[in-house]
Amino acid sequence: WNRHTKTKHSAFDWRSVLFYNGHTMLIMLHGADTWRSRQQLKKMIAEFKAKRDPSGLNLNVFAAEKTEGAEMLEAMVASPFLAEKRLTVLERLSENKKKDLWANLLKLIKSKKLPDTSAVIFWEGEIKLNSHPLWETLAKQKFSQKFELLSGSKLSQWIKTEIANRGLEIEPLALTALANHPFDGLWRLINELDKITAYLSKEPEKKIALKHLNLFLDEAGDENIFHFLDALTARRAKEAIKLLYNQYDSGEEPGKIFNLIVGQWRKLLLLKDYFALNPGATSDKAAGALDIHPFVVKKTLAILPGFTFAKLKEIYRELLEIDAKAKNGEEDYKTSLEMLVAKICR
């Protein structure tokens, strides 16, 4: 779905348009999720080579810091060699501060003198759209795409697909834990999946469980989150707010802090329920039964007495509401968490 043109497009669409004769194509791939946008770029280049340019003589890729205006413009207007199309890829061009480069590029595009045999892909990371010299022009292009960071059910579905592509399965609890782990984008998540895949390749089982995540992910979490929960449990509002702001001041994103809190709250619920059903059970037994790291269990047990099961469920529902409102743009994580702390500590 292209939010600028209000039209739907599919993998078939961009392939057919990119290689359709008689059209100059300008496409912009951008957004915070650089892993998915990079994969899309690789697919488009691979398709171009396979269908139009097996020799690779009609593909030029320019990086921002190495881009010279004359060479770039020459590639864009050059006729294809023994082929019907030429593809030029401009990576992070917004980081190039050469005024003459931008002036000449804008002039070329607005003059509509780019040949019909030319296709140009602008690949960017997360950018300030209105400050991009070509944003107004590129945003109108039907097949320009913005790649937002995945979250919620979309992230879970993406993880399931990625794992299936590796010939593996994943248990529901492990999927939930993986989707809620505070990764900084998909690059880190893919890296961890690579480790788990390599580990399971030598094992008879091919299903990812919580015990496998515990081998590679830092289940201990952020120590400051435990301090924050301690203060929250004891209803020490000033200390809880201060610890929350210490996280912000250290550069942590409110959304990441929120995910850590949700993860810890889920463990509180699991352990509260487990010990209610298994009175007298040891922390090690609980860790084994729930596939939670023993360190986390011991830390969480110190917090449990401060909340009833009903109160834990009530707060967890509020956390889900905060998440929904933040993703819908109604409220932000930072303000909502402050209000929640004040409410709990009243």
Side-chain angles (χ1 to χ4, degrees):
W1 179 261
N2 187 316
R3 68 185 183 88
H4 307 296
T5 61
K6 307 301 182 186
T7 56
K8 289 183 178 179
H9 51 77
S10 65
F12 173 80
D13 289 327
W14 64 253
R15 283 195 287 267
S16 61
V17 170
L18 183 57
F19 311 116
Y20 184 74
N21 293 328
H23 284 77
T24 299
M25 291 306 305
L26 298 175
I27 299 172
M28 187 180 195
L29 306 177
H30 67 104
D33 193 342
T34 55
W35 192 90
R36 285 193 303 131
S37 66
R38 176 62 70 179
Q39 297 309 302
Q40 178 74 334
L41 177 62
K42 287 180 179 179
K43 287 179 184 178
M44 296 176 86
I45 291 176
E47 185 74 13
F48 176 78
K49 287 181 176 180
K51 295 289 181 68
R52 297 293 191 183
D53 190 36
S55 66
L57 297 174
N58 295 288
L59 170 66
N60 294 94
V61 180
F62 295 92
E65 66 277 9
K66 300 177 181 178
T67 299
E68 293 296 333
E71 186 181 359
M72 180 188 76
L73 296 174
E74 183 180 342
M76 291 170 64
V77 300
S79 298
F81 180 72
L82 299 178
E84 298 172 324
K85 280 280 186 180
R86 173 177 286 277
L87 175 62
T88 304
V89 178
L90 309 177
E91 296 189 4
R92 297 190 184 277
L93 194 64
S94 61
E95 297 176 12
N96 194 304
K97 305 303 179 184
K98 297 174 183 176
K99 292 184 179 180
D100 59 332
L101 180 149
W102 282 107
N104 292 329
L105 181 57
L106 285 165
K107 184 178 179 181
L108 174 63
I109 291 176
K110 289 182 177 180
S111 68
K112 297 183 179 180
K113 291 183 179 179
L114 273 172
D116 292 343
T117 54
S118 181
V120 184
I121 300 176
F122 295 80
W123 185 89
E124 300 280 356
E126 189 170 19
I127 56 175
K128 294 181 179 179
L129 304 180
N130 294 331
S131 66
H132 192 286
L134 284 173
W135 169 245
E136 187 176 346
T137 300
L138 295 175
K140 296 176 182 177
Q141 303 302 313
K142 185 177 181 181
F143 292 92
S144 289
Q145 290 179 259
K146 182 177 182 180
F147 293 82
E148 302 277 11
L149 291 173
L150 296 176
S151 61
S153 59
K154 290 183 179 179
L155 177 58
S156 295
Q157 186 56 52
W158 182 90
I159 293 172
K160 285 177 69 176
T161 301
E162 183 65 29
I163 289 172
N165 290 340
R166 295 162 181 261
L168 301 174
E169 296 179 63
I170 185 167
E171 293 180 354
L173 280 176
L175 176 62
T176 300
L178 202 55
N180 284 283
H181 194 82
F183 292 112
D184 294 323
L186 295 184
W187 292 98
R188 169 77 191 286
L189 196 158
I190 284 292
N191 185 50
E192 298 305 321
L193 283 179
D194 287 342
K195 295 177 186 177
I196 295 171
T197 301
Y199 176 82
L200 288 181
S201 68
K202 302 172 184 178
E203 299 292 320
E205 56 184 325
K206 301 300 177 186
K207 180 176 283 190
I208 300 173
L210 281 173
K211 62 182 179 181
H212 299 124
L213 301 188
N214 291 340
L215 292 172
F216 299 99
L217 303 184
D218 181 15
E219 283 295 328
D222 191 332
E223 186 72 15
N224 287 324
I225 294 299
F226 284 112
H227 294 323
F228 166 74
L229 290 175
D230 280 335
L232 202 58
T233 304
R235 313 296 199 273
R236 299 191 298 269
K238 289 184 179 179
E239 185 181 347
I241 288 291
K242 181 181 178 181
L243 289 168
L244 201 55
Y245 268 88
N246 283 347
Q247 292 285 286
Y248 298 147
D249 292 341
S250 66
E252 293 289 5
E253 290 293 325
K256 180 179 178 180
I257 296 169
F258 175 81
N259 285 335
L260 282 169
I261 292 170
V262 170
Q264 294 301 332
W265 219 270
R266 186 179 294 108
K267 293 181 180 74
L268 280 168
L269 279 165
L270 286 171
L271 287 167
K272 193 78 171 179
D273 185 55
Y274 177 82
F275 283 108
L277 296 173
N278 301 278
T282 64
S283 60
D284 287 339
K285 190 173 181 180
L290 299 174
D291 275 335
I292 299 176
H293 197 285
F295 172 84
V296 179
V297 173
K298 289 175 183 177
K299 284 294 234 179
T300 308
L301 284 178
I303 300 167
L304 276 180
F307 294 98
T308 63
F309 193 65
K311 190 65 177 178
L312 284 173
K313 289 195 292 184
E314 178 189 337
I315 295 170
Y316 189 70
R317 281 194 294 268
E318 293 203 30
L319 286 169
L320 294 178
E321 289 176 10
I322 289 172
D323 192 36
K325 288 179 180 178
K327 287 170 180 172
N328 291 331
E330 298 175 35
E331 293 180 9
D332 60 89
Y333 287 118
K334 190 173 181 180
T335 304
S336 298
L337 282 175
E338 291 172 12
M339 293 174 64
L340 183 64
V341 169
K343 179 178 179 180
I344 294 171
C345 294
R346 268 205 298 267

